[in-house]
Amino acid sequence: MPATQPDRRTASKAARRQAIIDAALGLAREHGRHGFSVDLLAQRADVSRRTVFNHFSSLDDVLLAAHTQVMDVLIDDFDRRSAATPVGDGSLASVFDELGAALRVIDLVGPMATLTHLLDGLDDDDEAGQRLVREVMHRTTARLAADIARRSPGADELDIDLLVHSLVGGLVVLHAHWSARTGAADDAASRLVWADLLDRLITTVRNGYR
Amino acid sequence: MPATQPDRRTASKAARRQAIIDAALGLAREHGRHGFSVDLLAQRADVSRRTVFNHFSSLDDVLLAAHTQVMDVLIDDFDRRSAATPVGDGSLASVFDELGAALRVIDLVGPMATLTHLLDGLDDDDEAGQRLVREVMHRTTARLAADIARRSPGADELDIDLLVHSLVGGLVVLHAHWSARTGAADDAASRLVWADLLDRLITTVRNGYR
DNA sequence: TGCACTCAGTGCACGCTTGCACTTAGTGTA
DNA sequence: TACACTAAGTGCAAGCGTGCACTGAGTGCA
């Protein structure tokens, strides 16, 4: 972020883009990914439908941006906690424990519920949805791995990539189970289910398969 | 107002112009007419200073629009009450009584307080301020007279003009006295003073000087 | 199977905002 | 009295939003 405020033109453009993303998240939460049109999105965002396409190349592009933003918020939260945590001894075990501890503390249920709506009705035949998931997974793991590498310069890059993929891939599997059991609700009961599933993931990956 | 909604472009332009007027009223209320600059106005209205001059030819033009709007709201109120009141016998006395009754019921203290700030520090040497008052007085009396004439087609136009000028001119005199006595405050005590002064005006003009 | 309809996405022109450099008037001070 | 400063107001060009007509893909129905 530059030290000075962006000018009004830049700020206005960014605000309008954000309004479109917020509208997409709101509509997805209410209707699921398939339940809204460009017209509804534009109306909710208080822009013209042409403006939606000035900012995004397609509706899928809007969903990707919405998805990425949800993940970015999680990674921002992780980065803030890391910055406030003493650096470990640089070992992979230490890195893993830090990430595992963060996953336990960060609110994942809210974003999970949101992502469930964004991926409403996703199945193997849904090419656009599958492409969306792959893109988001790629961006998320790349960013997280880069942040961790920056924090532990001595660690091997491949090791970090594998670690991150293990955990993030595990989260995807967890999401499927959690969603099946709770209907992707965001309440106290579903949070208990999530905490239990998460503990099993962290313990399993931490201990490996010896 | 057209039956259909104005398009987004028209609505946005009108909203921005209104934001400038609202900002002017707010700043005048806080600092008086002389206490703010184009930069402050633009910032408060959340537009660029160029945009202020896209909508208005000068700062005085903004003040005129703000002033006119305050008066228009009062006349709108008067028109609504008139529309809900049975038409009198068309005599001037009847017209006068209707106007007098409306003046007693309509909230004048709020707008009076606002206009006092808009005309902050007005004196005989303040050419811009004097021009502003003349313009607003002209527009206000013209509009009010036209509305009354529409409502009483049989009445003589000159008679209506004189009647309206008597009352509106009297209101200006009343404002000076009220302001001197109450400091243009908008509270229960100042409202009592206003009610008393207004009653004297209406009674005096109604009875004439026989 | 052809037609009609809907909706995502697009090109183009225009309206309006904004950034920025500029002029001018007014004011204060040495 | 001259100079420096401030702020109102202006011209021009660029950025962005919007209106609108359009194309094409997908879908449903006779």
Side-chain angles (χ1 to χ4, degrees):
Chain A
M1 175 69 89
T4 55
Q5 291 268 29
D7 64 13
R8 293 183 56 81
R9 187 168 275 165
T10 305
S12 176
K13 183 175 179 180
R16 218 172 289 265
R17 182 178 189 280
Q18 186 58 51
I20 295 168
I21 292 175
D22 290 342
L25 288 170
L27 286 168
R29 200 169 287 128
E30 289 160 33
H31 306 296
R33 176 165 54 108
H34 295 299
F36 64 94
S37 62
V38 175
D39 284 336
L40 269 180
L41 180 63
Q43 190 176 55
R44 177 67 68 95
D46 198 23
V47 298
S48 76
R49 66 195 301 286
R50 194 64 197 84
T51 298
V52 173
F53 292 105
N54 287 341
H55 288 269
F56 299 96
S57 57
S58 63
L59 260 188
D60 280 347
D61 201 24
V62 177
L63 290 169
L64 174 60
H67 227 126
T68 302
Q69 183 171 284
V70 172
M71 299 309 293
D72 278 346
V73 167
L74 288 178
I75 301 178
D76 286 346
D77 199 0
F78 167 72
D79 284 347
R80 270 195 291 281
R81 291 177 196 280
S82 293
T85 303
V87 177
D89 59 13
S91 69
L92 276 185
S94 174
V95 169
F96 184 97
D97 287 341
E98 185 185 326
L99 186 54
L103 286 175
R104 284 191 166 95
V105 179
I106 289 170
D107 173 50
L108 287 167
V109 170
M112 283 295 187
T114 299
L115 294 178
T116 307
H117 295 112
L118 280 171
L119 293 168
D120 172 43
L122 179 69
D123 59 22
D124 285 343
D125 292 329
D126 186 349
E127 281 183 41
Q130 294 293 343
R131 189 160 49 244
L132 183 64
V133 170
R134 283 198 301 275
E135 184 73 26
V136 172
M137 289 302 298
H138 176 72
R139 290 185 182 200
T140 300
T141 51
R143 190 191 154 186
L144 191 55
D147 287 1
I148 292 173
R150 202 160 25 246
R151 192 169 157 75
S152 307
D156 181 61
E157 194 178 327
L158 175 60
D159 284 336
I160 292 179
D161 275 354
L162 287 170
L163 187 159
V164 166
H165 269 276
S166 291
L167 279 176
V168 174
L171 288 174
V172 172
V173 172
L174 243 57
H175 170 266
H177 283 257
W178 172 76
S179 187
R181 293 191 198 186
T182 64
D186 186 347
D187 55 36
S190 84
R191 284 172 183 273
L192 285 175
V193 173
W194 176 258
D196 189 54
L197 288 170
L198 182 62
D199 197 62
R200 286 190 58 183
L201 169 68
I202 293 174
T203 304
T204 300
V205 179
R206 178 68 166 85
N207 293 339
Y209 302 93
R210 288 171 305 200
Chain B
M1 175 70 88
T4 56
Q5 290 268 28
D7 64 13
R8 291 183 58 82
R9 186 171 278 169
T10 306
S12 176
K13 183 175 179 180
R16 217 173 288 266
R17 182 178 190 280
Q18 185 58 48
I20 295 169
I21 292 177
D22 289 343
L25 289 170
L27 285 169
R29 200 170 287 128
E30 289 162 33
H31 307 296
R33 177 165 53 110
H34 294 300
F36 65 92
S37 62
V38 175
D39 284 335
L40 270 179
L41 180 63
Q43 190 176 53
R44 177 67 68 93
D46 197 22
V47 299
S48 76
R49 66 194 300 286
R50 195 65 197 82
T51 299
V52 173
F53 292 105
N54 287 341
H55 288 269
F56 299 95
S57 58
S58 64
L59 258 187
D60 280 346
D61 200 25
V62 176
L63 290 169
L64 175 59
H67 228 127
T68 303
Q69 182 171 284
V70 171
M71 299 309 292
D72 277 345
V73 167
L74 288 177
I75 301 178
D76 286 345
D77 200 1
F78 168 73
D79 285 345
R80 271 194 291 281
R81 293 176 195 280
S82 293
T85 303
V87 177
D89 60 13
S91 69
L92 276 185
S94 173
V95 169
F96 184 97
D97 287 341
E98 184 186 326
L99 187 54
L103 285 176
R104 282 192 167 93
V105 179
I106 289 171
D107 174 49
L108 288 167
V109 170
M112 283 294 188
T114 299
L115 294 179
T116 307
H117 294 112
L118 280 171
L119 293 169
D120 173 43
L122 178 70
D123 58 22
D124 286 343
D125 293 328
D126 186 349
E127 282 183 41
Q130 294 293 342
R131 189 158 49 243
L132 183 63
V133 170
R134 284 199 299 277
E135 184 75 26
V136 172
M137 290 300 296
H138 177 71
R139 289 184 182 203
T140 300
T141 51
R143 189 191 156 188
L144 192 55
D147 287 0
I148 292 173
R150 207 167 11 254
R151 193 169 157 74
S152 307
D156 182 60
E157 194 177 327
L158 174 62
D159 283 337
I160 292 179
D161 275 355
L162 287 171
L163 187 159
V164 165
H165 269 278
S166 291
L167 278 176
V168 174
L171 287 175
V172 172
V173 173
L174 242 58
H175 170 266
H177 282 258
W178 172 76
S179 186
R181 292 192 200 187
T182 64
D186 185 347
D187 54 36
S190 85
R191 285 174 182 272
L192 284 174
V193 171
W194 176 257
D196 190 54
L197 289 170
L198 183 62
D199 197 62
R200 286 189 58 185
L201 170 68
I202 294 175
T203 304
T204 299
V205 179
R206 178 69 168 86
N207 292 341
Y209 301 93
R210 289 173 304 203

